[in-house]
Amino acid sequence: MWCSRIALRRFQRIAVTPLNITGGLTSNVQREMSTLPRVYVTRQIPPEGLKILRESGQVQFELWDSDDAPVPRKELLQKVKGVDGLVCVLTEKIDAELLDAAGPNLKVLSTMSVGFDHLSLDELKKRGIRVGYTPDVLTDSVAELTVALLLTTSRRLVEATHEAKTGGWGTWRTLWLCGYELANSTVGILGLGRIGVAIAERLAPFKVKKFIYTDIAPRPELASIINAEYVSFDELAKQSDFLTVCCALTPETKEICNKDLFSKMKNTSIFINTSRGGVVNQEDLYEALSTGQIAGAGLDVTVPEPLPTNHPLFTLKNCVILPHIASASYTTRNAMSALAANNLLLGLRGEPMIKELKL
């Protein structure tokens, strides 16, 4: 597992040597710049990535200079026309329509995300477009947030804060705001990868009794790191006191967490999702939470995002919802942007990317 700070320094070192221009741009330099590959950046990505692009001397780029709202689709379709490279984030749907708008010059796509469900991989493969992404550097921050969300949900911290603020804190009561503790519990992991391992490593000091997991197939090398036992999907549901979802969103995992799963879980179980909202059937989750079928749920991801404020899940005291902030640390987001920038530059040079999706 990589430390984010070490990873960030590594990615910064990989950046190509910047131009050294001491005076005004000469006509020769201007002509050279006009022939550089054109790149569009769909968001004001964190400064480390933009710095790498600016100082590379390898590309001319334009960006949607806002972090508050995605670039409007109509404008995005205009801006990508004729570009050689594209840097995007998970809010942009990269589909046939956009790729048609971009045209045949587009050779490299770099997404500042570990997930790639916003990308039409078949279309990208068909057109021979290389794809970079940003796994690994966000492992630590996502694992930390998952643990924080699990504890917040299981120990009812949002409820408790509300009661303290609004006058509900009266005399000491024996069972008021009681929750569920990790000591002697069974923690289940749906989709065991680096993030699942990192979550388990952080939970182990809480005296967890057993870690179990399920995946497409057993993953003995990763499981041995945390002494986790491979079980069936049904057994994961039945045995887990805490079930954390770490799988990617694919056609096979879409709404895999549904009524069937929740019906097999204990009524004292806590469900945590920091992967993708699409792996959960939210109507079934609401039913399970509102009827007491499971004890609580903590979500960092939903469908859609943002979740409308009048959504039924927001009415439940036993559901904690965060606005997709698992990787939201300064270190991690800068490391992600640096990796996205370097993936793009290496791809445009025809060299191996640091992290490339094999289509």
Side-chain angles (χ1 to χ4, degrees):
M1 192 186 312
W2 293 348
C3 168
S4 294
R5 290 183 177 85
I6 294 173
L8 174 56
R9 288 196 292 271
R10 178 190 169 209
F11 297 139
Q12 289 170 329
R13 286 198 299 270
I14 291 172
V16 296
T17 305
L19 281 174
N20 183 17
I21 301 174
T22 56
L25 289 175
T26 67
S27 59
N28 285 339
V29 171
Q30 287 175 325
R31 280 196 297 272
E32 286 179 15
M33 288 187 68
S34 69
T35 62
L36 292 174
R38 287 182 53 226
V39 171
Y40 188 68
V41 183
T42 69
R43 190 66 70 91
Q44 187 188 70
I45 61 173
E48 292 299 336
L50 291 177
K51 180 182 177 184
I52 288 169
L53 292 178
R54 284 195 184 100
E55 296 183 354
S56 71
Q58 188 182 333
V59 296
Q60 50 178 325
F61 72 92
E62 184 181 0
L63 78 158
W64 173 250
D65 197 12
S66 171
D67 193 33
D68 294 326
V71 55
R73 179 72 173 183
K74 185 176 179 181
E75 180 162 351
L76 177 60
L77 294 175
Q78 287 293 323
K79 293 295 186 180
V80 298
K81 286 183 177 178
V83 297
D84 301 279
L86 182 64
V87 178
C88 71
V89 295
L90 53 80
T91 54
E92 275 67 71
K93 188 177 173 113
I94 310 300
D95 56 9
E97 179 189 37
L98 184 137
L99 297 175
D100 285 341
N105 285 354
L106 182 59
K107 295 295 185 290
V108 179
L109 168 72
S110 180
T111 180
M112 189 184 131
S113 65
V114 62
F116 41 84
D117 46 284
H118 58 301
L119 310 179
S120 296
L121 299 183
D122 288 343
E123 288 291 333
L124 289 160
K125 181 178 181 180
K126 183 170 70 176
R127 299 162 196 250
I129 298 170
R130 296 175 63 189
V131 178
Y133 70 134
T134 60
D136 302 334
V137 293
L138 48 65
T139 297
D140 289 336
S141 60
V142 173
E144 288 177 7
L145 190 282
T146 303
V147 172
L149 181 56
L150 186 153
L151 291 169
T152 297
T153 305
S154 64
R155 297 303 301 268
R156 302 170 66 179
L157 300 189
V158 173
E159 285 182 77
T161 300
H162 176 76
E163 293 295 330
K165 283 182 178 179
T166 58
W169 184 3
T171 185
W172 185 86
R173 284 164 272 177
T174 58
L175 290 176
W176 186 54
L177 290 174
C178 282
Y180 300 93
E181 59 188 68
L182 281 158
N184 299 310
S185 69
T186 296
V187 173
I189 301 169
L190 176 56
L192 186 66
R194 290 185 181 89
I195 290 175
V197 168
I199 291 168
E201 288 177 328
R202 285 158 175 77
L203 291 177
F206 287 87
K207 300 181 180 178
V208 170
K209 179 176 66 178
K210 183 168 69 169
F211 291 104
I212 58 177
Y213 77 98
T214 195
D215 211 314
I216 297 171
R219 307 194 68 179
E221 289 186 11
L222 287 173
S224 65
I225 298 171
I226 55 173
N227 194 28
E229 176 189 346
Y230 179 79
V231 297
S232 68
F233 188 69
D234 282 356
E235 283 302 311
L236 187 81
K238 292 174 183 177
Q239 294 186 37
S240 296
D241 297 301
F242 300 87
L243 199 163
T244 179
V245 181
C246 303
C247 62
L249 176 59
T250 66
E252 292 73 30
T253 62
K254 183 175 173 58
E255 296 192 355
I256 193 172
C257 300
N258 53 30
K259 178 182 274 188
D260 183 59
L261 173 78
F262 301 132
S263 68
K264 294 181 174 69
M265 292 175 66
K266 306 172 186 178
N267 61 10
T268 55
S269 293
I270 303 293
F271 176 83
I272 303 294
N273 184 20
T274 54
S275 60
R276 284 290 185 267
V279 303
V280 179
N281 182 309
Q282 289 175 172
E283 291 181 3
D284 290 353
L285 177 61
Y286 174 81
E287 182 71 16
L289 289 167
S290 60
T291 60
Q293 194 166 62
I294 63 174
L299 310 174
D300 184 48
V301 287
T302 59
V303 176
E305 293 184 355
L307 193 65
T309 55
N310 63 352
H311 193 281
L313 285 172
F314 279 122
T315 67
L316 301 176
K317 290 183 178 181
N318 58 344
C319 186
V320 177
I321 300 174
L322 303 179
H324 202 151
I325 58 168
S327 65
S329 75
Y330 292 111
T331 299
T332 292
R333 290 287 172 83
N334 269 296
M336 290 172 70
S337 71
L339 178 51
N342 280 309
N343 278 339
L344 176 86
L345 296 176
L346 290 165
L348 287 173
R349 292 210 302 260
E351 298 177 13
M353 295 181 186
I354 303 166
K355 291 293 177 180
E356 182 170 359
L357 272 176
K358 302 304 179 187
L359 302 180

